[in-house]
Amino acid sequence: MPQERSCTVCEDEQCSAKNRRPGERAEDFITRQDIAARMCQIKRKLVILSGKGGVGKSTVAVNLATSLALAGKKVGLLDIDVHGPSIPKLLGIEKVFVTGSGSCLDPVVAHRMKVMSIGLLLRDQDEAIIWRGPMKSNAIKQFLKDVEWGELDYLVIDSPPGTGDEPMTVIQLIEGQASAIIVTTPQDLAIQDVRRSIRFCKELRLPIQGVIENMSGFVCPSCGEHTSIFKTGGGRRMAQKLGVPFLKSIPIDPLVADSGDTGTPVTLGYKDSEISKIFEQAVLSIDKHGFWTNSKHTPAKEEEQKIKIAIPVAEGALCLHFGHCEQFALFDVDPDKKTIQGKQILKPPHHEPGVLPQWLKEQGADVIITGGMGERARSLFSQNNITVVVGAPAEDPEQVVNAYLGGSLKTGANVCDNSSVHP
Ligand code: ADP
């Protein structure tokens, strides 16, 4: 039985890791404290997100991290893409293996950064990893609590594309200490993905540092002429409309692709190039502006987004066992004004596996708040772009929604973390 103990890193009485939460298992509390003890030695955590793959998210993560290191910051780079870790290749460290003692792992030091990636723990980089949700979440927990990050100015976290388990897990484990950078390309189609990423951040109350538009035109290396291969400026317009900062446009540059193949980031290999200067400016702006909090979002009127929150209900209260509920209460809420604007009570269809996530998607749900949910169901909701909040108390659904909107919802353990409950 793990021993409950108190965190000794700081004296901050307000720290969420100070006290065990109601219903929290002793081992979960200890893990939460261990993560907090590591994370509170890192000043800023930047989660790099993108709506889809191939937009250059990992390339941007690596070059932002390198630029920060070149600017004299102490930097860590964490790759939480367990299915397709690309950071070791981008840094030319695929053949390097992680060492450590006891349960601690030493990060690999490359190009002045401390680096950790699942790719550095695999013997064969091409090994296909078939990992279910709980294994992914355990690996991410280990990266946060067992890696000897030490004191850092920045931890840059490269997450897989989309709004799935990995970014959600890391954001929830860091508990309100991170901010996001969203990478996109300029086409209209990609802009839909940015919209989704912004909504994901808002739902998880993750402040958005800004949007970076990558592959934004091509600058001819001979004559310097700028050619818009895709339509440009879409990312900037979208950022303006949704009231989030626009950080930088990064053009397509053959040096970037070349550096990706040689394993030396362009910002290090071609320090004086135009593209390196662009990354430097982006980093300056990130470093200077500090955090952008979601409460400061001021979307233009026509872009105001209402969200729908679903609560499983039994006997008038939130139903802890999500698969056994009698009804769903669906609340229309304004996340910016933090108000409920409408409510609907619906009888769900028969609980067959996979039916509820699809049905709730059809009802327009963006978030589901429940007591517990198995990993399989969580993953199905995530595929339907519905954010899952677990560990909520069996209280009046309206109170739960108001607490969620006000940021005071107390969540404990996932009370039925198994796959036997039908999603
Ligand atoms: P993601 O992480 O979004 O899947 P990657 O960072 O792996 O994308 O980039 C995909 C490909 O695009 C890589 O080959 C990379 O070298 C290339 N790339 C990314 N950004 C640029 C750029 N600005 N100019 C040229 N090539 C780029």
Side-chain angles (χ1 to χ4, degrees):
M1 183 71 178
Q3 287 301 303
E4 203 175 305
R5 56 195 155 72
S6 52
C7 178
T8 51
V9 172
C10 71
E11 298 298 317
D12 182 3
E13 286 302 320
Q14 304 300 316
C15 174
S16 64
K18 212 79 192 166
N19 298 308
R20 191 163 158 191
R21 291 176 176 150
E24 187 173 36
R25 291 185 310 172
E27 48 267 60
D28 291 339
F29 177 46
I30 289 170
T31 302
R32 202 160 60 78
Q33 285 197 318
D34 286 344
I35 293 176
R38 287 258 185 236
M39 291 299 113
C40 83
Q41 296 186 66
I42 302 173
K43 289 190 192 132
R44 293 177 66 179
K45 295 103 185 162
L46 301 175
V47 184
I48 316 295
L49 300 170
S50 69
K52 61 174 180 176
V55 300
K57 176 186 47 57
S58 298
T59 304
V60 168
V62 158
N63 283 292
L64 287 179
T66 309
S67 274
L68 282 164
L70 287 170
K73 306 286 176 194
K74 285 189 234 157
V75 179
L77 178 56
L78 171 61
D79 177 6
I80 57 162
D81 189 341
V82 295
H83 294 292
S86 50
I87 296 294
K89 164 123 187 65
L90 291 172
L91 295 177
I93 51 172
E94 309 109 290
K95 302 260 179 309
V96 180
F97 291 110
V98 166
T99 55
S101 55
S103 63
C104 292
L105 295 169
D106 294 324
V108 170
V109 178
H111 310 305
R112 307 182 197 188
M113 298 179 282
K114 291 184 176 174
V115 186
M116 183 52 69
S117 161
I118 197 76
L120 297 169
L121 300 169
L122 300 175
R123 290 279 138 200
D124 175 3
Q125 290 284 321
D126 296 326
E127 201 176 304
I129 311 183
I130 305 165
W131 280 20
R132 285 163 39 95
M135 290 165 75
K136 288 195 262 186
S137 129
N138 281 338
I140 294 171
K141 269 185 201 157
Q142 254 190 301
F143 286 154
L144 297 177
K145 86 181 166 62
D146 295 338
V147 175
E148 299 278 9
W149 294 110
E151 286 189 9
L152 294 178
D153 294 310
Y154 281 91
L155 180 64
V156 177
I157 302 171
D158 183 29
S159 63
T163 52
D165 284 346
E166 294 89 333
M168 192 155 80
T169 302
V170 83
I171 292 162
Q172 286 174 342
L173 289 172
I174 292 181
E175 295 200 72
Q177 294 182 39
S179 57
I181 290 178
I182 299 170
V183 182
T184 184
T185 49
Q187 311 94 309
D188 284 342
L189 214 61
I191 298 310
Q192 297 307 323
D193 297 312
V194 180
R195 209 185 265 270
R196 212 171 301 128
S197 300
I198 290 177
R199 204 163 71 177
F200 174 74
C201 294
K202 282 188 156 194
E203 283 160 7
L204 290 176
R205 310 217 177 288
L206 178 70
I208 299 169
Q209 194 82 51
V211 172
I212 287 185
E213 185 176 89
N214 188 29
M215 307 195 192
S216 184
F218 174 71
V219 180
C220 171
S222 320
C223 66
E225 189 188 344
H226 186 283
T227 311
S228 299
I229 294 176
F230 305 126
K231 207 155 79 178
T232 54
R236 182 184 290 277
R237 276 194 300 277
M238 172 56 64
Q240 273 165 359
K241 266 189 173 176
L242 292 179
V244 295
F246 184 79
L247 281 175
K248 213 72 206 151
S249 292
I250 298 172
I252 294 173
D253 188 324
L255 290 180
V256 176
D258 184 48
S259 302
D261 292 339
T262 60
T264 305
V266 70
T267 36
L268 189 64
Y270 298 91
K271 272 190 203 157
D272 298 325
S273 62
E274 280 306 309
I275 194 92
S276 295
K277 286 188 191 131
I278 293 175
F279 276 108
E280 259 170 50
Q281 288 157 8
V283 154
L284 271 179
S285 142
I286 292 166
D287 202 45
K288 192 174 69 192
H289 280 117
F291 293 103
W292 177 268
T293 64
N294 276 337
S295 59
K296 287 187 196 156
H297 280 164
T298 49
K301 269 274 171 280
E302 69 276 18
E303 286 293 330
E304 267 179 17
Q305 290 194 21
K306 305 278 178 286
I307 62 169
K308 222 181 244 291
I309 300 181
I311 308 264
V313 179
E315 296 177 342
L318 178 143
C319 177
L320 291 180
H321 298 281
F322 148 80
H324 304 158
C325 71
E326 303 156 4
Q327 299 170 321
F328 268 92
L330 281 158
F331 293 89
D332 289 304
V333 305
D334 182 328
D336 291 312
K337 294 193 186 117
K338 303 190 192 312
T339 51
I340 295 176
Q341 308 208 314
K343 177 181 167 184
Q344 233 185 331
I345 298 287
L346 296 177
K347 197 167 163 13
H350 189 62
H351 296 177
E352 295 291 338
V355 166
L356 284 178
Q358 179 62 34
W359 177 74
L360 281 170
K361 183 76 210 164
E362 284 159 16
Q363 307 312 314
D366 300 291
V367 180
I368 174 167
I369 305 178
T370 178
M373 188 182 289
E375 280 298 338
R376 180 157 171 261
R378 288 178 77 147
S379 144
L380 288 170
F381 275 106
S382 150
Q383 283 164 26
N384 280 285
N385 285 320
I386 298 176
T387 301
V388 179
V389 177
V390 290
E395 285 173 5
D396 172 49
E398 203 157 316
Q399 272 178 17
V400 171
V401 172
N402 279 324
Y404 175 73
L405 291 173
S408 60
L409 180 67
K410 295 220 172 1
T411 52
N414 184 0
V415 293
C416 67
D417 196 9
N418 64 61
S419 314
S420 63
V421 179
H422 290 325

